[in-house]
Amino acid sequence: MEFFLILVLGALVIWLMSKRSADHQHIQQLYDLASNLEDRLLRLERTQELKAPSPRPESAPRVQYAGQPADTASKPTPVPPQPPQPVLRTQPPPPIAEPAAPAMPVSSAFTPAPPNPVVRAASPQPPPPFTPRFGTTPEESSPAKHSPSLEERLGANWLNKLGIIILVIGVTFFLAYQLRTLGPLGKTIVGFTVSATLLVGSLFLERRKKYQIFARAGIGGGWALTFFVTFAMYHVAATRVLSSQATDLILMMLVAVGMIWHSLLYKSQVVTSLAFLLAFCTVGISHVTVFSLVAGLLLALGLVYVTSRQHWYELELAGLVSLYLNHFLWLQRILPDGGQPGHPFPEFFASAALLLLYWLIFRVAYVLRSPRNDRETSISSATAVLNAAGLLSLLKYQSAHPEWAFWGLLALGTAEMLFALYARRRFRTAFIVLSSIASVFLLAAVPFRFSGSNWSIFWLFEAEVLFLTGLRMKEVTFHRLGLIAGFAAAIQLAFVDVYPIILLRQQQPDPHRHLAISIALTCGAILYWFNSQFVPRKWTEIREFEIETSALRFMSYLGLLAAMAALWVFFPGSLTVVAWMLLAVALAFAAEKSGSVDLTLQTDILAASAFLRILIINFFITDHWGPLSQRAVTVALCAALFYYCTRRKSGSDILPAAYIPIPYSWAGSTLLGLLAWYELRPVSVAVGWCVLGLILFEIGMVRRRSYLRHQGYVLLGASFIRIFFANLSAGDSHLLNPRTYTVIPLIAAYFWVYQRLHADAESTQFDRAMANGAAWLGTIAAAALAYFEFSPEWVVVAWSVLVFILVLCAWLLGRRIFVAQSLALLIAVAARGALFNLFSTPLVGGSFWSSRVACIGTACAIAFLTLPIAFRLRRLPSDDTQSSDSSRWLSLVLSRPEQLLFFIPLLLLMALLAVQMRSGMITIAWSALGILTFLFALLVQERTFRLAGLGLLLLCVGKILLVDMWQLAPTDRYITLIVMGAALLLVSFLYTRYREAILKLL
């Protein structure tokens, strides 16, 4: 361990030497630069003097100096003004002459010009010679000296210091352990002889400039060896010649004083550093008892005095490290278990007292000093921090009574704070450093006495005291320390209090409320919000500091996290979201009263967190409070609170005030919609969504809130989709079944929404589009219900009835949208009849009413019954909602609905006759249908119908020529020809009979 001490102290000495060498090199460079600048300035002045015009002989002024009698007869010629000469001299300036005898201007030449013989009356006294600042005259100024190379520094500077270190350490070991032939007195004499020889020889060599660096290293080594021999006269057994420890201490003090006095004569940090550090090294080598450390204490006193007087703070730092390192080595020797807590040893109190004295010496020196520059301030502050660290480390290492740690840290923190307050006015940096150390001590004391939530509460209390004290005293350091302590308390709350509960609740259900932790988190939230929201309004000057402003804003969000954690800890399970939403309402209220943007944003964050937690956790909770479902109660309450938050008037940076109701109402509607999904039976979900959608729609209509109407549209659309997955397949054979009594109300709701929007004159274009969509949803739902409620054969009949109803509604209400729906449904009738009724295999033993003739015939008959109404629909005005973006052909079809209502049933009848009649009778049946069509066309006076009849007859003629004449039996062929001929003759007769009427229709 001694070798370790040697290495550490040697490293410190080398560091000091390198710092000193670097400083010396920097000073030399500054010296050379200043000399060059001075030389250039003098040359410029000479050049300006030579260029000045020579004065005329008859008017040459008399050169007069200070102290010379004034000559009033002669009037000197005015001298042109010269620029002021910089002050470059180290000698004091010449005395200022009286006004009667003006002195020569400073800007003139350094040697006065020869006076004119005509006006010369006496030999003038020359002015004081100019002496440059760095001791060189302009003629002697030389170029900058070269910096010493690494080899020169190594050979001339470093080697001698390393050599003296090794020499002193070697002599110390030799006297203490190896020299056994001599007694204690002989060893002491040898030690003093070596020390005196080293000192005298170094003093002799120091007189020569060439050997100054070498000799000063020897002087430091000689004094260090002298101090060790004096120390060893009592404390080292091999050289003990004194029986009184007090005598030896007095002698060591005298040697230390002499060493300090002598090293100060040279004002060399290197000499003093070698002396002190080697003295520390020798004391460290020979530790025997606790009284051995008293020598280090004396060295510390001398070191502090020298470094404070000479401003050698690097040496102070090195001495501090050496002092605590020596003490650590001594503790390591005497402690049996290597520094484990709770181990008593006899020297405990003495060791603790010495450590406190070390700390006190350096601390007093720190608060009393006045550094000259930032570099000295930084080194002093580093020393102060290391002083506190060394004290705590060694007290912890030698801890025999851990139960005293709280009071010890409390006392040290109080003492450091008192020192800080003392240094507040005279040494600002010391105040900042010491108050920071004191705060750390006071915070570190709490865990040794308190645990769990009490620990957190005390940290919060200390942080708040520091913060408010800084505000009341207008001391930036204190309130910044309070902010830092508050952040430390937040970290402690998160990782010590909350994190274990998170792990516990991940592993198993935890119904406990953890009251103490909840109180600590609540206190933290209140203090954080108080500091961030109330304090800047009370003490407005804190807003001038950007760091504090940012820290307080961040602390406000820490308050939010602490409050959320407190509610989560105290209200576990499903109640957490309710507590969060209540807090969000309270924050919204506080934000409106205070106008805080941060609180409004925190309200949004808290509400979003509650919404996500409901989606992730609450919807999957199946527990009950008696007959009530926890999921239903908590989600419904949160949805109501979301709706209540739409009344908030204050916005945030992310969500302006005008947009607040939109997301909050959407969140509430989403929660209620999902709650209906989880709580209602599958067949009732669509009804629940429809009812909620109607409520939102009606509120939106009454209060003119478009976002509520939009939410109603979404829910109605969701209910429509839902019926295809659950409701339509939930029927049975009874007339009143779940399918019927769940879908019919939905159909009515869709048409109600359509009617409400259509009747509203203030509806937007989007609302009108949604109205048309609702009407279509009602019609499709009705068609789907008919599809599932009626037998497959009679679906076309049911759809045909719907077509008739839609046409009737279009005529009664004057709405072209129902025309479009009727035509679309008519196309579905045709598709269903063609694909299913006509070409499906009829049931064996089925009744007539389930046959294709009955079903298709009935459907076509119902469609033909709509024609009288369809003709009246021609007079309907154009519907802007339908025709504005419709193509021309679609508008034409909607304006002539009778065309599709006639031709589609006609085609179905033709297909039915083709399928139902035997091949020999198809042409006859078609001919009869053609005649009926022609007659009907004449009745309704519709040209397209008449052309359809003629076309059908021509189709029959073509069929006869191409098919019947070659494939039918003779009897069928003849009958077909007869009937077809008669039909054609009848049509021709009718054309002839009603020729004038037909011409009017063409």
Side-chain angles (χ1 to χ4, degrees):
M1 188 56 66
E2 289 82 0
F3 294 103
F4 174 73
L5 175 62
I6 293 170
L7 291 176
V8 172
L9 294 179
L12 290 175
V13 172
I14 292 173
W15 174 69
L16 288 174
M17 290 189 298
S18 62
K19 293 289 291 182
R20 183 66 179 172
S21 176
D23 294 343
H24 179 75
Q25 181 180 357
H26 184 64
I27 292 173
Q28 182 65 34
Q29 292 175 354
L30 292 177
Y31 174 86
D32 296 337
L33 178 61
S35 298
N36 290 333
L37 291 175
E38 183 180 8
D39 188 21
R40 293 182 62 184
L41 179 61
L42 294 177
R43 289 182 182 179
L44 288 173
E45 289 180 350
R46 286 183 178 179
T47 304
Q48 187 175 5
E49 181 183 357
L50 293 176
K51 291 182 178 180
S54 301
R56 295 182 180 180
E58 62 272 16
S59 61
R62 176 185 175 186
V63 179
Q64 189 162 350
Y65 301 97
Q68 205 173 2
D71 188 1
T72 58
S74 61
K75 297 181 179 180
T77 304
V79 180
Q82 300 293 334
Q85 182 171 350
V87 180
L88 298 173
R89 61 188 68 191
T90 57
Q91 297 180 358
I96 302 175
E98 287 77 3
M104 185 180 68
V106 179
S107 60
S108 60
F110 291 95
T111 304
N116 196 314
V118 177
V119 297
R120 181 176 181 180
S123 177
Q125 296 296 329
F130 174 80
T131 304
R133 182 177 180 179
F134 298 98
T136 60
T137 60
E139 291 79 3
E140 294 174 351
S141 60
S142 58
K145 298 180 181 179
H146 72 282
S147 300
S149 63
L150 178 62
E151 181 181 357
E152 293 180 77
R153 290 197 298 268
L154 179 64
N157 193 5
W158 292 3
L159 288 182
N160 68 327
K161 295 176 177 61
L162 290 175
I164 198 63
I165 293 172
I166 296 172
L167 175 63
V168 172
I169 293 174
V171 171
T172 301
F173 277 111
F174 186 74
L175 292 177
Y177 301 108
Q178 296 299 324
L179 188 58
R180 301 177 181 177
T181 57
L182 297 178
L185 181 60
K187 294 179 181 179
T188 303
I189 294 173
V190 170
F192 279 121
T193 302
V194 175
S195 303
T197 303
L198 193 57
L199 270 174
V200 173
S202 300
L203 289 173
F204 177 76
L205 290 176
E206 201 271 338
R207 297 177 180 178
R208 301 184 181 183
K209 187 176 181 180
K210 182 177 181 181
Y211 298 104
Q212 280 184 354
I213 297 177
F214 177 80
R216 288 180 179 179
I219 293 172
W223 275 112
L225 190 56
T226 302
F227 184 84
F228 168 73
V229 175
T230 306
F231 165 78
M233 289 171 66
Y234 176 82
H235 294 89
V236 179
T239 58
R240 181 174 297 169
V241 295
L242 296 177
S243 59
S244 173
Q245 183 180 5
T247 304
D248 191 46
L249 290 177
I250 293 173
L251 291 176
M252 285 192 296
M253 187 176 299
L254 293 175
V255 173
V257 171
M259 178 176 63
I260 295 170
W261 170 79
H262 191 249
S263 63
L264 290 178
L265 292 178
Y266 298 98
K267 295 184 178 180
S268 172
Q269 187 174 184
V270 175
V271 175
T272 309
S273 302
L274 285 172
F276 276 104
L277 295 182
L278 287 174
F280 277 117
C281 183
T282 55
V283 171
I285 290 174
S286 57
H287 279 153
V288 178
T289 64
V290 68
F291 297 102
S292 304
L293 300 176
V294 178
L297 182 63
L298 295 176
L299 288 174
L301 287 170
L303 177 70
V304 167
Y305 172 76
V306 172
T307 54
S308 299
R309 180 177 177 180
Q310 299 297 328
H311 295 271
W312 293 340
Y313 298 128
E314 296 93 342
L315 175 59
E316 183 186 48
L317 177 61
L320 177 74
V321 174
S322 302
L323 186 64
Y324 281 114
L325 184 61
N326 274 345
H327 202 101
F328 168 73
L329 295 176
W330 175 77
L331 286 174
Q332 195 177 39
R333 290 175 181 174
I334 66 171
L335 292 179
D337 50 358
Q340 296 297 323
H343 47 84
F345 60 101
E347 299 88 351
F348 170 76
F349 291 101
S351 175
L354 283 173
L355 288 173
L356 292 174
L357 285 175
Y358 298 160
W359 167 80
L360 183 62
I361 290 170
F362 284 95
R363 186 62 78 239
V364 171
Y366 179 59
V367 298
L368 293 178
R369 70 186 48 170
S370 297
R372 297 172 297 186
N373 51 46
D374 293 340
R375 180 172 173 271
E376 292 182 357
T377 301
S378 301
I379 297 175
S380 299
S381 301
T383 305
V385 174
L386 287 178
N387 186 19
L391 175 65
L392 281 187
S393 300
L394 292 182
L395 286 177
K396 177 66 177 177
Y397 185 78
Q398 71 167 23
S399 174
H401 299 278
E403 67 276 8
W404 295 353
F406 170 76
W407 299 107
L409 288 172
L410 195 63
L412 286 175
T414 305
E416 293 281 13
M417 188 61 72
L418 292 176
F419 279 122
L421 293 175
Y422 175 79
R424 183 185 177 195
R425 300 294 183 186
R426 59 190 313 274
F427 187 10
R428 180 70 183 176
T429 304
F431 168 72
I432 296 174
V433 172
L434 295 182
S435 59
S436 302
I437 295 174
S439 302
V440 172
F441 282 0
L442 293 175
L443 290 175
V446 173
F448 289 96
R449 186 63 179 269
F450 305 97
S451 61
S453 58
N454 294 329
W455 173 3
S456 305
I457 292 175
F458 272 97
W459 270 20
L460 290 169
F461 175 74
E462 291 183 15
E464 193 65 16
V465 169
L466 283 172
F467 184 68
L468 295 179
T469 302
L471 293 174
R472 295 298 299 270
M473 296 177 61
K474 296 183 178 181
E475 179 54 60
V476 178
T477 303
F478 278 162
H479 63 66
R480 287 185 178 178
L481 289 173
L483 291 174
I484 295 173
F487 293 145
I491 296 174
Q492 194 275 336
L493 285 170
F495 289 97
V496 178
D497 293 337
V498 178
Y499 184 68
I501 300 178
I502 294 175
L503 296 180
L504 176 63
R505 292 183 176 178
Q506 286 180 345
Q507 297 173 358
Q508 61 186 9
D510 178 32
H512 301 289
R513 298 188 181 274
H514 305 280
L515 180 61
I517 297 177
S518 301
I519 293 175
L521 290 168
T522 304
C523 292
I526 293 173
L527 291 179
Y528 292 149
W529 274 326
F530 173 81
N531 293 341
S532 59
Q533 301 301 324
F534 176 77
V535 167
R537 293 175 172 84
K538 177 69 174 177
W539 291 277
T540 56
E541 63 273 8
I542 200 172
R543 298 178 181 177
E544 300 175 0
F545 303 97
E546 184 177 357
I547 296 177
E548 278 78 352
T549 303
S550 301
L552 288 177
R553 290 197 66 183
F554 180 72
M555 183 170 283
S556 179
Y557 291 91
L558 285 182
L560 172 66
L561 295 177
M564 292 177 64
L567 295 175
W568 173 75
V569 171
F570 192 75
F571 298 101
S574 59
L575 288 175
T576 303
V577 292
V578 180
W580 282 1
M581 285 305 302
L582 290 174
L583 179 60
V585 173
L587 284 179
F589 178 78
E592 290 185 5
K593 294 297 182 181
S594 62
S596 174
V597 178
D598 290 327
L599 288 182
T600 56
L601 181 58
Q602 292 170 29
T603 302
D604 298 333
I605 294 174
L606 186 56
S609 302
F611 181 78
L612 292 176
R613 180 174 173 84
I614 292 172
L615 295 180
I616 297 173
I617 294 178
N618 283 63
F619 277 126
F620 301 97
I621 295 176
T622 58
D623 298 334
H624 287 72
W625 293 317
L628 299 177
S629 169
Q630 293 187 17
R631 175 173 55 201
V633 173
T634 57
V635 175
L637 288 176
C638 290
L641 292 173
F642 271 109
Y643 286 126
Y644 180 78
C645 286
T646 58
R647 300 168 58 88
R648 200 180 85 198
K649 303 300 181 183
S650 58
S652 62
D653 296 336
I654 299 177
L655 190 62
Y659 295 94
I660 288 175
I662 300 175
Y664 278 92
S665 60
W666 274 101
S669 301
T670 303
L671 293 180
L672 291 180
L674 291 175
L675 181 62
W677 171 281
Y678 283 101
E679 289 294 327
L680 298 179
R681 293 186 304 164
V683 74
S684 302
V685 172
V687 179
W689 286 352
C690 182
V691 171
L692 179 60
L694 280 178
I695 294 173
L696 293 173
F697 170 75
E698 287 298 329
I699 296 174
M701 291 293 292
V702 173
R703 299 179 60 88
R704 313 308 302 176
R705 298 292 187 267
S706 61
Y707 53 88
L708 293 178
R709 296 197 302 272
H710 297 167
Q711 295 165 25
Y713 301 153
V714 173
L715 286 170
L716 290 172
S719 66
F720 171 77
I721 296 173
R722 174 68 181 174
I723 63 176
F724 289 96
F725 294 93
N727 297 68
L728 293 177
S729 59
D732 52 27
S733 58
H734 297 87
L735 178 63
L736 188 63
N737 52 51
R739 176 170 53 215
T740 304
Y741 62 70
T742 57
V743 176
I744 291 177
L746 297 182
I747 297 171
Y750 301 148
F751 284 111
W752 169 260
V753 171
Y754 163 75
Q755 178 60 28
R756 286 278 287 154
L757 291 173
H758 190 274
D760 186 13
E762 299 181 5
S763 297
T764 63
Q765 184 176 359
F766 179 78
D767 289 329
R768 289 193 294 270
M770 290 297 102
N772 294 333
W776 279 98
L777 293 184
T779 301
I780 295 173
L785 179 63
Y787 177 85
F788 284 93
E789 282 295 323
F790 291 92
S791 62
E793 295 82 8
W794 277 84
V795 170
V796 291
V797 178
W799 285 358
S800 299
V801 174
L802 287 178
V803 170
F804 180 82
I805 294 173
L806 290 172
V807 173
L808 184 62
C809 291
W811 175 51
L812 295 176
L813 299 176
R815 312 277 175 82
R816 281 198 175 274
I817 186 173
F818 294 114
V819 177
Q821 294 177 9
S822 64
L823 296 181
L825 191 55
L826 183 63
I827 295 174
V829 169
R832 173 74 180 181
L835 298 177
F836 180 80
N837 295 78
L838 292 178
F839 298 104
S840 62
T841 303
L843 295 177
V844 179
S847 64
F848 169 77
W849 297 107
S850 62
S851 64
R852 63 170 66 98
V853 175
C855 296
I856 296 296
T858 305
C860 293
I862 296 172
F864 285 132
L865 289 176
T866 62
L867 287 176
I869 304 174
F871 282 111
R872 299 170 187 257
L873 293 177
R874 292 181 178 182
R875 297 190 294 270
L876 283 180
S878 178
D879 193 351
D880 295 337
T881 59
Q882 278 293 320
S883 61
S884 59
D885 296 327
S886 302
S887 59
R888 181 174 300 177
W889 66 269
L890 182 58
S891 300
L892 180 62
V893 170
L894 294 179
S895 62
R896 302 291 298 274
E898 75 282 355
Q899 301 297 319
L900 287 181
L901 288 172
F902 174 78
F903 282 103
I904 289 179
L906 180 63
L907 293 175
L908 274 178
L909 286 177
M910 290 177 60
L912 175 63
L913 293 175
V915 172
Q916 193 69 25
M917 305 296 289
R918 60 186 180 87
S919 58
M921 300 301 294
I922 293 176
T923 306
I924 298 174
W926 281 3
S927 301
L929 182 60
I931 293 173
L932 292 175
T933 302
F934 188 80
L935 293 175
F936 180 73
L938 292 178
L939 178 64
V940 299
Q941 300 180 355
E942 179 62 38
R943 183 169 179 264
T944 55
F945 296 176
R946 190 170 66 252
L947 294 177
L950 293 176
L952 185 56
L953 292 174
L954 292 177
L955 177 63
C956 294
V957 173
K959 184 175 182 297
I960 291 173
L961 295 176
L962 297 176
V963 177
D964 296 342
M965 292 294 295
W966 315 104
Q967 296 182 0
L968 293 181
T971 304
D972 293 337
R973 186 185 309 130
Y974 303 148
I975 295 174
T976 301
L977 291 174
I978 294 170
V979 173
M980 189 63 205
L984 293 176
L985 289 174
L986 178 61
V987 171
S988 178
F989 172 77
L990 292 175
Y991 260 100
T992 303
R993 175 71 177 78
Y994 299 101
R995 182 172 178 274
E996 292 79 5
I998 293 174
L999 291 177
K1000 293 179 181 179
L1001 297 175
L1002 293 177

